[in-house]
mmCIF file of all heavy atoms in Angstrom:
data_model
loop_
_atom_site.group_PDB
_atom_site.id
_atom_site.type_symbol
_atom_site.label_atom_id
_atom_site.label_comp_id
_atom_site.label_asym_id
_atom_site.label_seq_id
_atom_site.Cartn_x
_atom_site.Cartn_y
_atom_site.Cartn_z
ATOM 1 N N VAL A 1 1.108 -9.737 -0.487
ATOM 2 C CA VAL A 1 1.000 -8.673 0.540
ATOM 3 C C VAL A 1 1.086 -7.298 -0.134
ATOM 4 O O VAL A 1 0.326 -6.377 0.231
ATOM 5 C CB VAL A 1 2.091 -8.836 1.619
ATOM 6 C CG1 VAL A 1 2.151 -7.597 2.521
ATOM 7 C CG2 VAL A 1 1.842 -10.076 2.459
ATOM 8 N N CYS A 2 1.959 -7.159 -1.121
ATOM 9 C CA CYS A 2 2.117 -5.895 -1.799
ATOM 10 C C CYS A 2 0.893 -5.504 -2.644
ATOM 11 O O CYS A 2 0.637 -4.358 -2.917
ATOM 12 C CB CYS A 2 3.369 -5.915 -2.697
ATOM 13 S SG CYS A 2 4.899 -5.855 -1.725
ATOM 14 N N LYS A 3 0.084 -6.487 -3.028
ATOM 15 C CA LYS A 3 -1.138 -6.226 -3.791
ATOM 16 C C LYS A 3 -2.298 -5.753 -2.929
ATOM 17 O O LYS A 3 -3.265 -5.180 -3.421
ATOM 18 C CB LYS A 3 -1.587 -7.491 -4.522
ATOM 19 C CG LYS A 3 -0.705 -7.868 -5.681
ATOM 20 C CD LYS A 3 -1.360 -9.062 -6.387
ATOM 21 C CE LYS A 3 -0.352 -10.023 -6.906
ATOM 22 N NZ LYS A 3 -0.936 -11.245 -7.471
ATOM 23 N N LEU A 4 -2.204 -5.989 -1.617
ATOM 24 C CA LEU A 4 -3.283 -5.535 -0.731
ATOM 25 C C LEU A 4 -3.392 -4.016 -0.811
ATOM 26 O O LEU A 4 -2.410 -3.309 -0.914
ATOM 27 C CB LEU A 4 -2.999 -5.953 0.731
ATOM 28 C CG LEU A 4 -2.925 -7.451 1.043
ATOM 29 C CD1 LEU A 4 -2.452 -7.649 2.478
ATOM 30 C CD2 LEU A 4 -4.278 -8.112 0.812
ATOM 31 N N THR A 5 -4.645 -3.546 -0.718
ATOM 32 C CA THR A 5 -4.848 -2.081 -0.775
ATOM 33 C C THR A 5 -6.086 -1.707 0.031
ATOM 34 O O THR A 5 -7.010 -2.475 0.203
ATOM 35 C CB THR A 5 -5.005 -1.610 -2.248
ATOM 36 O OG1 THR A 5 -5.202 -0.182 -2.235
ATOM 37 C CG2 THR A 5 -6.185 -2.264 -2.936
ATOM 38 N N THR A 6 -6.064 -0.466 0.505
ATOM 39 C CA THR A 6 -7.275 0.056 1.166
ATOM 40 C C THR A 6 -8.109 0.870 0.184
ATOM 41 O O THR A 6 -9.206 1.301 0.504
ATOM 42 C CB THR A 6 -6.896 0.961 2.354
ATOM 43 O OG1 THR A 6 -6.046 2.016 1.899
ATOM 44 C CG2 THR A 6 -6.201 0.172 3.449
ATOM 45 N N ASN A 7 -7.592 1.079 -1.037
ATOM 46 C CA ASN A 7 -8.337 1.803 -2.062
ATOM 47 C C ASN A 7 -9.551 1.020 -2.495
ATOM 48 O O ASN A 7 -9.450 -0.156 -2.886
ATOM 49 C CB ASN A 7 -7.440 2.095 -3.274
ATOM 50 C CG ASN A 7 -6.337 3.054 -2.950
ATOM 51 O OD1 ASN A 7 -6.456 3.866 -2.047
ATOM 52 N ND2 ASN A 7 -5.242 2.961 -3.672
ATOM 53 N N GLN A 8 -10.695 1.647 -2.483
ATOM 54 C CA GLN A 8 -11.945 0.998 -2.863
ATOM 55 C C GLN A 8 -11.948 0.531 -4.333
ATOM 56 O O GLN A 8 -12.699 -0.359 -4.700
ATOM 57 C CB GLN A 8 -13.138 1.902 -2.610
ATOM 58 C CG GLN A 8 -13.340 2.223 -1.129
ATOM 59 C CD GLN A 8 -13.536 0.965 -0.279
ATOM 60 O OE1 GLN A 8 -14.356 0.107 -0.584
ATOM 61 N NE2 GLN A 8 -12.741 0.829 0.800
ATOM 62 N N SER A 9 -11.091 1.099 -5.147
ATOM 63 C CA SER A 9 -10.997 0.707 -6.553
ATOM 64 C C SER A 9 -10.302 -0.641 -6.696
ATOM 65 O O SER A 9 -10.390 -1.297 -7.727
ATOM 66 C CB SER A 9 -10.219 1.747 -7.344
ATOM 67 O OG SER A 9 -8.879 1.779 -6.932
ATOM 68 N N GLY A 10 -9.565 -1.049 -5.656
ATOM 69 C CA GLY A 10 -8.812 -2.297 -5.708
ATOM 70 C C GLY A 10 -7.430 -2.090 -6.347
ATOM 71 O O GLY A 10 -6.686 -3.039 -6.443
ATOM 72 N N ILE A 11 -7.125 -0.880 -6.758
ATOM 73 C CA ILE A 11 -5.862 -0.567 -7.419
ATOM 74 C C ILE A 11 -4.970 0.096 -6.368
ATOM 75 O O ILE A 11 -5.271 1.158 -5.875
ATOM 76 C CB ILE A 11 -6.059 0.334 -8.637
ATOM 77 C CG1 ILE A 11 -6.957 -0.372 -9.648
ATOM 78 C CG2 ILE A 11 -4.698 0.695 -9.239
ATOM 79 C CD1 ILE A 11 -7.394 0.523 -10.766
ATOM 80 N N GLY A 12 -3.854 -0.567 -6.066
ATOM 81 C CA GLY A 12 -2.918 -0.020 -5.077
ATOM 82 C C GLY A 12 -2.177 1.205 -5.640
ATOM 83 O O GLY A 12 -1.932 1.314 -6.815
ATOM 84 N N THR A 13 -1.847 2.096 -4.752
ATOM 85 C CA THR A 13 -1.079 3.285 -5.102
ATOM 86 C C THR A 13 0.042 3.433 -4.052
ATOM 87 O O THR A 13 -0.053 2.885 -2.979
ATOM 88 C CB THR A 13 -1.951 4.548 -5.134
ATOM 89 O OG1 THR A 13 -2.625 4.653 -3.861
ATOM 90 C CG2 THR A 13 -2.978 4.508 -6.239
ATOM 91 N N THR A 14 1.061 4.195 -4.401
ATOM 92 C CA THR A 14 2.177 4.371 -3.489
ATOM 93 C C THR A 14 1.695 4.979 -2.148
ATOM 94 O O THR A 14 2.051 4.522 -1.109
ATOM 95 C CB THR A 14 3.274 5.276 -4.108
ATOM 96 O OG1 THR A 14 3.651 4.672 -5.342
ATOM 97 C CG2 THR A 14 4.475 5.391 -3.228
ATOM 98 N N MET A 15 0.935 6.035 -2.247
ATOM 99 C CA MET A 15 0.371 6.648 -1.054
ATOM 100 C C MET A 15 -1.137 6.517 -1.102
ATOM 101 O O MET A 15 -1.772 7.082 -2.014
ATOM 102 C CB MET A 15 0.756 8.151 -0.979
ATOM 103 C CG MET A 15 2.238 8.367 -0.781
ATOM 104 S SD MET A 15 2.938 7.563 0.663
ATOM 105 C CE MET A 15 2.121 8.387 2.000
ATOM 106 N N GLU A 16 -1.663 5.734 -0.192
ATOM 107 C CA GLU A 16 -3.116 5.562 -0.149
ATOM 108 C C GLU A 16 -3.721 6.625 0.734
ATOM 109 O O GLU A 16 -2.972 7.506 1.205
ATOM 110 C CB GLU A 16 -3.436 4.129 0.320
ATOM 111 C CG GLU A 16 -2.853 3.120 -0.664
ATOM 112 C CD GLU A 16 -3.333 1.703 -0.489
ATOM 113 O OE1 GLU A 16 -4.157 1.424 0.395
ATOM 114 O OE2 GLU A 16 -2.870 0.828 -1.239
ATOM 115 N N LYS A 17 -4.982 6.582 0.957
ATOM 116 C CA LYS A 17 -5.683 7.656 1.680
ATOM 117 C C LYS A 17 -4.995 7.984 3.005
ATOM 118 O O LYS A 17 -4.744 9.146 3.300
ATOM 119 C CB LYS A 17 -7.135 7.285 1.882
ATOM 120 C CG LYS A 17 -7.945 8.373 2.534
ATOM 121 C CD LYS A 17 -9.391 8.002 2.697
ATOM 122 C CE LYS A 17 -10.163 9.098 3.403
ATOM 123 N NZ LYS A 17 -11.536 8.723 3.650
ATOM 124 N N CYS A 18 -4.748 6.987 3.828
ATOM 125 C CA CYS A 18 -4.222 7.268 5.166
ATOM 126 C C CYS A 18 -2.892 6.580 5.497
ATOM 127 O O CYS A 18 -2.452 6.636 6.609
ATOM 128 C CB CYS A 18 -5.278 6.848 6.209
ATOM 129 S SG CYS A 18 -6.792 7.809 6.125
ATOM 130 N N LEU A 19 -2.293 5.892 4.546
ATOM 131 C CA LEU A 19 -1.053 5.225 4.794
ATOM 132 C C LEU A 19 -0.343 4.938 3.470
ATOM 133 O O LEU A 19 -0.924 5.024 2.401
ATOM 134 C CB LEU A 19 -1.233 3.908 5.561
ATOM 135 C CG LEU A 19 -2.063 2.818 4.904
ATOM 136 C CD1 LEU A 19 -1.542 1.465 5.308
ATOM 137 C CD2 LEU A 19 -3.526 2.913 5.319
ATOM 138 N N CYS A 20 0.958 4.658 3.598
ATOM 139 C CA CYS A 20 1.712 4.312 2.372
ATOM 140 C C CYS A 20 1.435 2.833 2.021
ATOM 141 O O CYS A 20 0.937 2.091 2.821
ATOM 142 C CB CYS A 20 3.183 4.585 2.549
ATOM 143 S SG CYS A 20 4.019 3.530 3.722
ATOM 144 N N CYS A 21 1.830 2.482 0.834
ATOM 145 C CA CYS A 21 1.562 1.087 0.377
ATOM 146 C C CYS A 21 2.436 0.105 1.163
ATOM 147 O O CYS A 21 3.466 0.501 1.732
ATOM 148 C CB CYS A 21 1.777 0.955 -1.119
ATOM 149 S SG CYS A 21 3.490 1.064 -1.644
ATOM 150 N N ASN A 22 2.047 -1.129 1.144
ATOM 151 C CA ASN A 22 2.772 -2.150 1.890
ATOM 152 C C ASN A 22 4.204 -2.344 1.364
ATOM 153 O O ASN A 22 5.095 -2.679 2.123
ATOM 154 C CB ASN A 22 1.989 -3.472 1.826
ATOM 155 C CG ASN A 22 0.652 -3.329 2.520
ATOM 156 O OD1 ASN A 22 0.427 -2.421 3.302
ATOM 157 N ND2 ASN A 22 -0.259 -4.239 2.228
ATOM 158 N N ALA A 23 4.410 -2.194 0.066
ATOM 159 C CA ALA A 23 5.733 -2.376 -0.494
ATOM 160 C C ALA A 23 6.739 -1.414 0.149
ATOM 161 O O ALA A 23 7.882 -1.794 0.422
ATOM 162 C CB ALA A 23 5.706 -2.193 -2.018
ATOM 163 N N ILE A 24 6.334 -0.183 0.354
ATOM 164 C CA ILE A 24 7.241 0.783 0.988
ATOM 165 C C ILE A 24 7.535 0.364 2.426
ATOM 166 O O ILE A 24 8.673 0.461 2.907
ATOM 167 C CB ILE A 24 6.632 2.208 0.936
ATOM 168 C CG1 ILE A 24 6.663 2.697 -0.519
ATOM 169 C CG2 ILE A 24 7.404 3.185 1.862
ATOM 170 C CD1 ILE A 24 5.989 4.043 -0.736
ATOM 171 N N SER A 25 6.550 -0.089 3.143
ATOM 172 C CA SER A 25 6.755 -0.564 4.508
ATOM 173 C C SER A 25 7.712 -1.747 4.554
ATOM 174 O O SER A 25 8.583 -1.837 5.446
ATOM 175 C CB SER A 25 5.412 -0.933 5.175
ATOM 176 O OG SER A 25 4.577 0.178 5.241
ATOM 177 N N ILE A 26 7.558 -2.672 3.643
ATOM 178 C CA ILE A 26 8.422 -3.849 3.583
ATOM 179 C C ILE A 26 9.855 -3.431 3.235
ATOM 180 O O ILE A 26 10.820 -3.907 3.833
ATOM 181 C CB ILE A 26 7.903 -4.880 2.571
ATOM 182 C CG1 ILE A 26 6.558 -5.473 3.096
ATOM 183 C CG2 ILE A 26 8.899 -6.013 2.343
ATOM 184 C CD1 ILE A 26 5.764 -6.223 2.043
ATOM 185 N N ALA A 27 9.989 -2.518 2.282
ATOM 186 C CA ALA A 27 11.308 -2.022 1.914
ATOM 187 C C ALA A 27 11.956 -1.310 3.105
ATOM 188 O O ALA A 27 13.174 -1.529 3.369
ATOM 189 C CB ALA A 27 11.222 -1.059 0.735
ATOM 190 N N ALA A 28 11.230 -0.502 3.835
ATOM 191 C CA ALA A 28 11.773 0.189 5.010
ATOM 192 C C ALA A 28 12.286 -0.794 6.041
ATOM 193 O O ALA A 28 13.338 -0.575 6.674
ATOM 194 C CB ALA A 28 10.755 1.115 5.623
ATOM 195 N N ALA A 29 11.571 -1.899 6.204
ATOM 196 C CA ALA A 29 11.970 -2.899 7.211
ATOM 197 C C ALA A 29 13.333 -3.547 6.863
ATOM 198 O O ALA A 29 14.031 -3.997 7.778
ATOM 199 C CB ALA A 29 10.897 -4.005 7.292
ATOM 200 N N LYS A 30 13.702 -3.494 5.596
ATOM 201 C CA LYS A 30 15.021 -4.037 5.230
ATOM 202 C C LYS A 30 16.174 -3.182 5.739
ATOM 203 O O LYS A 30 17.293 -3.626 5.915
ATOM 204 C CB LYS A 30 15.155 -4.212 3.713
ATOM 205 C CG LYS A 30 14.262 -5.310 3.164
ATOM 206 C CD LYS A 30 14.686 -6.660 3.745
ATOM 207 C CE LYS A 30 13.814 -7.759 3.271
ATOM 208 N NZ LYS A 30 14.110 -9.028 3.945
#
């Protein structure tokens, strides 16, 4: 799940174009 990205390069970043990465969302849920 943390590897999923909306970046067309396929490389995930902490802040993507319109949302933060999934890892941050999962961490917040804790």
Side-chain angles (χ1 to χ4, degrees):
V1 169
C2 289
K3 288 186 216 174
L4 296 173
T5 182
T6 57
N7 292 334
Q8 295 302 309
S9 67
I11 300 169
T13 54
T14 304
M15 294 304 295
E16 298 192 3
K17 183 177 177 185
C18 295
L19 62 147
C20 68
C21 72
N22 297 341
I24 291 175
S25 298
I26 294 166
K30 291 297 179 187

